[in-house]
Amino acid sequence: MWTELLPIGRSSVSGGYRRYAWSGADLECRAWFRAQAEERGLTYEVDRNGNQWAWLGDPAAGGAVVTGSHLDSVPDGGAFDGPLGVVSSFAALDELRERGAALDKPLAIVNFGDEEGARFGLACVGSRLAAGQLTKDKAHELRDADGVSLPQAMERAGYDPAAIGPDPERLARIGAFVELHVEQGRALDLSGDAVGIASAIWPHGRWRFDFHGEANHAGTTRLEDRRDPMLSYADTVLAARREARAAGALATFGKVSVEPNGVNAIASLVRGWLDSRAADQETLDRVVAGIEAAASERAARDGIDVRVTRESFTPVVEFEHALRDEVAKLLGGGVPVLPTGAGHDAGILSASAPTAMLFVRNPTGVSHSPAETAAEDDCLAGVTALADVLEGLACS
Ligand SMILES: [Zn+2]
């Protein structure tokens, strides 16, 4: 499976993946998913939001055990974030068949569309739409950097954008959803475990900071006469680190756009995107408020007008304890339970069905980068763990 997936959407320059929602690379990944489903004699379907499903057993029977993840990527992403969960799902199904496991419940493998939000700026679009956490109207307003709207992109990819929206009947079929994912930190590396179980997803969000100043000549404008938004922005980036460190939280400015973006011009507008996450809502609110206050204070000194817009927000997700405990029991105990700062489809679905997550050790902790990695032995341990969990949940 990896041999077929590895070349899809891979940049020859960076070695990273550029599998953006509804792009050619995404469509190749989708074709791969469909082929995997059909090779195994599974019933293949695409839901109204473009999420792909492969069913063993009758979907309408209810109480299904569902596993899967996503195949799209961030810009220059790694090979494992997403695909490890989908590949492991098919591999776990193969293992269950080898074991001759007699499943009493239907089993499904899913590929959720547009998980990373790399193209349209909003993460988990496929699962959010299905769960009713993103309205059709809002989704239709999403645009990529080239001005292509989500409906246009879906239509060009051969999907029907008019059909998107909440899918409660489909989600009601799910008895339990288990997502396996490469760990995006070093907790398992530090604890010396190949596999872990998720306890919670930290609350997280994205905020856009617009610093409006005045464009002018870099060679003739006296320092005293400048209204340079780059200074306010730079100071805000440092403030974000200070606030996050003081609170034991995370705050990152990882994307910035500058107008007019000329080497010899003082900027008129600097737009920076803050990603912030913390263990609880109160801490996150305090961190973001601290960064906003620092931005306003510095902007006032620089003669800059600053506006802050919250573009997305996901509250804390505490995975259901009963399912989490059952997963831990099925894995024989001793498996570490850890929180994560990364959002996942499992977090979105947790409002609609019991969900759980398994993490596979990432020896460097690096993710969202071509350097993301996992050892083959650990990946195989992940497949066995997932197969154990699926078998335990699907056999009465
Ligand atoms: Zn992911």
Side-chain angles (χ1 to χ4, degrees):
M1 286 187 270
W2 282 119
T3 311
E4 289 169 12
L5 271 178
L6 281 174
I8 301 175
R10 187 174 203 175
S11 160
S12 56
V13 180
S14 67
Y17 289 94
R18 299 174 181 175
R19 295 167 175 162
Y20 309 139
W22 313 116
S23 67
D26 189 33
L27 295 183
E28 280 185 66
C29 288
R30 287 168 170 275
W32 173 88
F33 181 96
R34 181 176 189 160
Q36 293 301 317
E38 289 173 351
E39 263 173 40
R40 289 171 175 80
L42 306 174
T43 307
Y44 172 79
E45 61 175 7
V46 181
D47 69 24
R48 57 189 298 186
N49 297 305
N51 305 310
Q52 296 178 294
W53 300 75
W55 286 91
L56 178 68
D58 179 11
V65 177
V66 181
T67 185
S69 192
H70 62 96
L71 292 172
D72 69 320
S73 80
V74 296
D76 288 328
F80 296 89
D81 177 357
L84 181 64
V86 179
V87 167
S88 299
S89 297
F90 283 115
L93 176 79
D94 294 343
E95 187 165 324
L96 290 181
R97 282 178 160 168
E98 271 169 38
R99 290 180 191 177
L103 309 183
D104 306 315
K105 294 173 186 162
L107 188 84
I109 297 170
V110 61
N111 167 34
F112 283 109
D114 200 1
E115 194 274 346
E116 297 287 6
R119 182 167 179 186
F120 297 102
L122 179 68
C124 300
V125 168
S127 56
R128 273 186 214 272
L129 279 167
Q133 295 178 28
L134 169 67
T135 65
K136 181 177 175 176
D137 288 350
K138 282 271 174 233
H140 277 214
E141 286 169 15
L142 295 173
R143 263 165 223 290
D144 70 10
D146 299 322
V148 178
S149 71
L150 177 75
Q152 286 169 328
M154 281 186 82
E155 203 155 22
R156 285 177 199 171
Y159 291 78
D160 176 14
I164 65 171
D167 206 349
E169 290 89 7
R170 194 171 310 266
L171 297 191
R173 298 169 175 174
I174 304 174
F177 175 64
V178 182
E179 179 171 2
L180 178 145
H181 205 280
V182 68
E183 198 202 347
Q184 296 171 293
R186 286 189 57 223
L188 293 173
D189 182 50
L190 295 171
S191 71
D193 295 283
V195 175
I197 302 168
S199 58
I201 297 177
W202 284 12
H204 54 279
R206 298 176 180 186
W207 289 261
R208 195 184 78 227
F209 284 61
D210 295 335
F211 298 91
H212 293 270
E214 186 178 45
N216 213 329
H217 196 297
T220 59
T221 316
R222 296 188 326 142
L223 295 180
E224 296 76 6
D225 294 337
R226 296 181 181 201
R227 290 176 51 224
D228 184 351
M230 194 66 82
L231 300 178
S232 311
Y233 173 66
D235 206 52
T236 304
V237 174
L238 298 176
R241 166 57 80 95
R242 267 197 314 275
E243 293 289 333
R245 194 173 46 220
L250 298 166
T252 310
F253 278 96
K255 177 177 168 179
V256 61
S257 82
V258 178
E259 291 175 18
N261 209 22
V263 177
N264 57 357
I266 297 160
S268 59
L269 169 66
V270 176
R271 185 167 269 167
W273 279 265
L274 169 71
D275 175 304
S276 189
R277 305 162 193 239
D280 59 78
Q281 178 79 51
E282 198 202 325
T283 307
L284 180 57
D285 290 345
R286 202 170 66 239
V287 167
V288 175
I291 299 167
E292 286 190 43
S296 300
E297 190 267 328
R298 175 72 203 211
R301 278 197 277 146
D302 294 332
I304 299 301
D305 174 37
V306 59
R307 275 171 226 166
V308 182
T309 310
R310 190 176 87 174
E311 293 196 331
S312 73
F313 183 76
T314 308
V316 67
V317 172
E318 183 81 25
F319 287 110
E320 203 208 50
H321 289 201
L323 180 59
R324 193 176 89 191
D325 293 347
E326 196 174 349
V327 167
K329 210 171 87 191
L330 290 167
L331 295 181
V335 178
V337 178
L338 43 126
T340 176
H344 296 286
D345 293 310
I348 303 295
L349 287 196
S350 68
S352 307
T355 60
M357 287 192 78
L358 297 178
F359 292 125
V360 170
R361 173 163 50 193
N362 176 337
T364 61
V366 172
S367 188
H368 286 186
S369 147
E372 180 183 87
T373 185
E376 187 169 331
D377 281 353
D378 289 350
C379 293
L380 292 173
V383 170
T384 303
L386 183 60
D388 290 347
V389 169
L390 298 177
E391 184 175 7
L393 294 176
C395 300
S396 47

